[in-house]
Amino acid sequence: MKRIPQDFIVDLIARINIVDIVGHRIKIKKRGKDYWGNCPFHNEKTPSFSVSEKKQMYYCFGCGAGGSAIDFLMNYDRLSYPEAIEELANLQGITVPHVETSTETNRTQNQISGQNIRRDLYGLMDKLAQFYQVQLSTPEAETAREYLTRRGLDKTTIEHYKIGYSPDNWHLTLNYIAKTPQDKKLYDQAGMLVSNDNGNQYDRFRGRIMFPIRDRQGNIIAFGGRTIKANDSAKYINSPETTIFHKGYQLYGLYESQQINRNPEKLVVVEGYMDVVSLAQFGINYAVAALGTATTEDHIKLLFRATDNIIFCFDGDTAGRRAAWRALNVLLPTLIDGKQIKFVFLPEAEDPDSLVRKEGKTQFEQRLDNGITLSQFLFDELLVQVDLKTPEGKAKLSSLSLPLIAQIKAQSFALNLKQQLGDYLGFLDITQIDKLLQQYDSNESATPSVDDKIPPIKMKLTTMRILIGLLIQYPELAKLVPDINSLKQVKLAGIEIFIELLNICHERPNIITAQILAEYTGKPIAKQLNTLAIWEHRYAEDDISAIFSHTLKELYDNILAQRQDELIAKDRVTKLTEAEKKELATLILVLSKKD
């Protein structure tokens, strides 16, 4: 049988950020050094769920749930241990290795079988995409081909995006893919089957032009289907969310764009599949689209990782401007200095697909270059709501804009907006805006802080627990213990695990808390170490090294006292050697001075 190497798991944890993993699934907000939110594992009104970016750990002070990103995926997404590792590895674009092992329990065999589901789903979706591509060449797909021709798509573009056609038949695709009951089950898990009220199952996509949706690694994870029937009630339908597809976390066309240019100078965000493909047909191969959902924070993060210049392209009608405003509100808390954001609004009744075919590449790109900045769009939207000729209008502008500016962590962006707001309000000094923001911030934080509401974990503190707890939370403290050999003869509860932890930290100087805990997954000591990892010690950060050193000194004093007791006990039973007598005398002298 095979297993996932422990070294790979430890290294994988170093690649990810638990804040991104948790924040994609629940709402968390930074307060102090950690992120907080309502626990997803029990009902609560007051946030007691914390996520530590430094430790790469989460912990709920209400129900006690806690662990690493792997544990969170296992509990929240209900994945097995290997499946959670596979999910994190997929996000990083790396393959999970397996090694042979001679002893595997039935439980482990089941886990590995579960882990293979993702791999099998990727294989199934790739097979489906190939099937749809072949179907596009059949006589039945003539109408689909004519539609694509009318939209101006050539063979190269169709192949680049793997566009295909789903037969207009209730079971044809199912019968082709699902040769066995297991195949059918996998087909259903991929979201490709629909069940009616009678329990009958049939193909989700029928008689549609198919757009494969690929993740950043190029795996096909879902499909979008465009009808070619005039009487069809739904123009587009998408795959439902599955084990491998979360629509709020993917952008259509991003993989294809980065295949042409790994580091695109800019990306333009449009609304539909055909917008992306049509723009690419005209050489504008840097367009992406959200998958039937509004722009999310995860979409923004994907964009920021890919490029420094982002252009949001919307219809110029009321609905388009509303969509743009929603995108702006998602953008503000995630802004990063050095990124350039623009908004482009198209003429009425036009979309990128129709307009680029009318204007051509050069003129369309001029529109993109002439887009308005984020700050200009923000104030354009606010100014139509106020009358700056009156004090009341200026006060309203202040009340509308301050909550938006307060969300921005990027200093240059915030400074720019404060300067513009100051100009509109007639303030000569930007510090007046800062004072207003401070008032706003103080009103926002008038409620008790999360930390004040959370009771500390009750735990009897001993010398060893303090040392182990601090070492797990601050692995760099290991360098304060250069000589581990002197600890090996000590007979003290917990000394073995302390020595083991020191060795791990010495071997991996940059190891973090979650990686340390990953080394002990499945071991009896894991629960105790997890408790120490989330122990709220209440020590000032600047004092941690001194407290560790002082506690370590106490440990060495205990070692000396222990050795003194051993020699005294031996002396009562048998005579000490001359060397032992000298050692005892030295210990008595040293320890008496400490008293």
Side-chain angles (χ1 to χ4, degrees):
M1 297 301 295
K2 295 181 178 181
R3 64 176 178 83
I4 303 172
Q6 189 66 29
D7 285 347
F8 172 81
I9 298 170
V10 173
D11 290 338
L12 178 62
I13 290 174
R15 291 171 176 259
I16 62 173
N17 187 343
I18 192 173
V19 173
D20 292 338
I21 302 301
V22 176
H24 172 58
R25 289 160 176 81
I26 67 170
K27 186 177 181 180
I28 54 176
K29 185 176 182 180
K30 191 169 187 180
R31 296 193 182 181
K33 65 180 185 298
D34 295 329
Y35 291 78
W36 294 83
N38 288 336
C39 180
F41 305 121
H42 80 286
N43 294 323
E44 63 176 6
K45 295 181 180 179
T46 302
S48 63
F49 183 84
S50 68
V51 183
S52 170
E53 193 164 23
K54 180 181 184 298
K55 299 176 187 176
Q56 289 296 299
M57 296 276 297
Y58 74 93
Y59 183 75
C60 176
F61 289 85
C63 68
S68 66
I70 296 174
D71 300 300
F72 184 82
L73 287 181
M74 290 173 65
N75 290 307
Y76 189 86
D77 287 357
R78 297 182 180 180
L79 303 179
S80 68
Y81 185 67
E83 284 175 325
I85 294 170
E86 182 77 17
E87 171 74 9
L88 294 175
N90 177 58
L91 292 175
Q92 295 299 312
I94 54 180
T95 303
V96 178
H98 294 84
V99 295
E100 294 289 343
T101 181
S102 56
T103 57
E104 289 288 342
T105 63
N106 290 334
R107 175 175 174 274
T108 304
Q109 292 177 26
N110 292 335
Q111 285 181 333
I112 291 175
S113 175
Q115 178 266 328
N116 287 337
I117 290 175
R118 295 181 64 85
R119 180 200 64 194
D120 293 342
L121 283 171
Y122 292 140
L124 171 77
M125 300 302 268
D126 188 62
K127 186 177 179 181
L128 270 171
Q130 293 179 39
F131 173 74
Y132 291 144
Q133 284 179 284
V134 170
Q135 293 301 305
L136 186 60
S137 300
T138 62
E140 183 196 337
E142 183 178 356
T143 304
R145 292 193 300 273
E146 289 175 352
Y147 172 84
L148 294 175
T149 300
R150 286 199 310 273
R151 303 302 291 262
L153 300 188
D154 60 22
K155 184 177 180 182
T156 301
T157 302
I158 291 171
E159 289 180 352
H160 181 61
Y161 286 92
K162 293 183 179 291
I163 297 171
Y165 174 75
S166 56
D168 192 11
N169 184 289
W170 293 94
H171 301 101
L172 195 152
T173 306
L174 170 63
N175 293 336
Y176 171 79
I177 293 293
K179 304 298 184 184
T180 67
Q182 181 60 32
D183 289 341
K184 184 176 181 181
K185 181 180 178 181
L186 196 66
Y187 190 68
D188 190 19
Q189 286 177 302
M192 303 303 290
L193 276 182
V194 177
S195 299
N196 61 20
D197 294 338
N198 297 324
N200 297 322
Q201 293 183 307
Y202 51 88
D203 287 319
R204 179 180 298 276
F205 296 97
R206 304 177 308 280
R208 289 178 177 268
I209 294 172
M210 300 299 289
F211 298 86
I213 300 165
R214 294 195 270 192
D215 63 18
R216 285 174 293 165
Q217 291 74 49
N219 299 307
I220 296 174
I221 55 176
F223 290 93
R226 207 281 185 197
T227 187
I228 52 174
K229 301 175 185 176
N231 61 348
D232 204 318
S233 58
K235 181 187 290 187
Y236 282 95
I237 61 172
N238 296 322
S239 292
E241 300 234 339
T242 66
T243 301
I244 58 174
F245 175 53
H246 303 285
K247 62 183 179 181
Y249 200 71
Q250 304 293 340
L251 288 166
Y252 178 73
L254 181 58
Y255 173 79
E256 288 83 358
S257 174
Q258 291 187 306
Q259 284 294 102
I260 296 171
N261 185 352
R262 186 63 188 167
N263 299 297
E265 179 185 346
K266 56 190 171 186
L267 288 172
V268 56
V269 182
V270 294
E271 294 191 59
Y273 302 111
M274 279 305 302
D275 293 327
V276 172
V277 177
S278 293
L279 289 175
Q281 173 74 40
F282 280 82
I284 304 174
N285 45 37
Y286 47 86
V288 298
L291 301 168
T293 184
T295 306
T296 68
E297 187 174 332
D298 289 307
H299 290 148
I300 303 299
K301 289 177 180 178
L302 280 174
L303 292 166
F304 281 166
R305 291 190 192 114
T307 186
D308 290 334
N309 299 291
I310 303 166
I311 304 165
F312 288 91
C313 186
F314 293 97
D315 295 346
D317 57 13
T318 302
R321 296 193 80 88
R322 278 201 302 264
W325 185 254
R326 287 194 297 269
L328 179 139
N329 277 271
V330 175
L331 270 164
L332 292 178
T334 61
L335 287 174
I336 300 173
D337 285 331
K339 305 292 184 181
Q340 180 172 299
I341 314 295
K342 286 184 179 181
F343 290 84
V344 172
F345 296 97
L346 303 182
E348 189 174 350
E350 298 286 3
D351 57 30
D353 172 32
S354 64
L355 196 58
V356 74
R357 283 188 278 128
K358 287 181 181 178
E359 297 183 340
K361 177 182 179 182
T362 301
Q363 193 170 339
F364 190 88
E365 287 192 310
Q366 285 178 352
R367 286 184 179 275
L368 299 181
D369 292 338
N370 294 331
I372 62 174
T373 63
L374 180 148
S375 60
Q376 183 180 346
F377 173 56
L378 185 149
F379 283 111
D380 282 351
E381 293 297 299
L382 296 184
L383 289 172
V384 296
Q385 304 177 49
V386 303
D387 181 4
L388 286 182
K389 296 178 182 179
T390 66
E392 292 80 7
K394 291 182 178 181
K396 185 176 181 180
L397 177 62
S398 177
S399 67
L400 290 172
S401 57
L402 287 176
L404 299 173
I405 297 174
Q407 299 179 49
I408 302 174
K409 302 180 183 68
Q411 294 183 1
S412 295
F413 266 113
L415 179 61
N416 175 266
L417 290 177
K418 286 188 287 186
Q419 288 173 334
Q420 291 190 58
L421 177 59
D423 291 340
Y424 287 122
L425 298 180
F427 292 166
L428 299 177
D429 189 348
I430 196 174
T431 57
Q432 293 176 280
I433 300 294
D434 288 326
K435 288 179 181 178
L436 290 173
L437 278 172
Q438 287 172 5
Q439 275 188 328
Y440 177 80
D441 288 339
S442 63
N443 291 335
E444 286 290 291
S445 58
T447 55
S449 69
V450 172
D451 295 303
D452 292 336
K453 300 175 184 177
I454 301 301
I457 296 173
K458 294 181 179 180
M459 178 176 62
K460 182 180 178 181
L461 294 180
T462 64
T463 299
M464 286 310 309
R465 281 179 178 168
I466 292 173
L467 287 172
I468 292 173
L470 291 179
L471 183 60
I472 291 175
Q473 296 189 30
Y474 305 90
E476 65 273 13
L477 293 174
K479 64 177 181 287
L480 300 179
V481 194
D483 182 18
I484 298 178
N485 291 326
S486 60
L487 302 173
K488 292 182 178 179
Q489 303 304 317
V490 180
K491 297 177 182 178
L492 194 64
I495 193 68
E496 296 88 355
I497 190 65
F498 182 56
I499 293 172
E500 194 172 297
L501 288 169
L502 286 170
N503 282 323
I504 290 173
C505 293
H506 283 156
E507 291 170 4
R508 290 172 167 264
N510 297 317
I511 199 168
I512 60 175
T513 302
Q515 288 177 296
I516 293 175
L517 296 178
E519 295 276 6
Y520 292 90
T521 300
K523 297 182 181 180
I525 194 68
K527 185 175 181 180
Q528 293 94 309
L529 295 182
N530 192 71
T531 299
L532 290 168
I534 49 84
W535 161 48
E536 292 286 327
H537 50 67
R538 306 291 182 179
Y539 302 142
E541 292 291 316
D542 293 342
D543 296 336
I544 296 297
S545 294
I547 291 169
F548 185 82
S549 296
H550 177 75
T551 310
L552 187 64
K553 183 175 177 295
E554 287 183 4
L555 175 63
Y556 285 125
D557 289 346
N558 289 338
I559 294 172
L560 296 177
Q562 189 180 86
R563 178 58 177 164
Q564 175 184 268
D565 292 342
E566 289 177 357
L567 292 174
I568 291 174
K570 181 179 179 180
D571 189 40
R572 290 171 180 166
V573 178
T574 182
K575 290 184 178 182
L576 298 176
T577 65
E578 288 302 316
E580 288 173 333
K581 289 178 181 179
K582 289 181 180 180
E583 182 184 359
L584 179 58
T586 301
L587 288 171
I588 293 172
L589 179 62
V590 170
L591 292 173
S592 64
K593 288 181 179 180
K594 294 182 181 299
D595 294 336

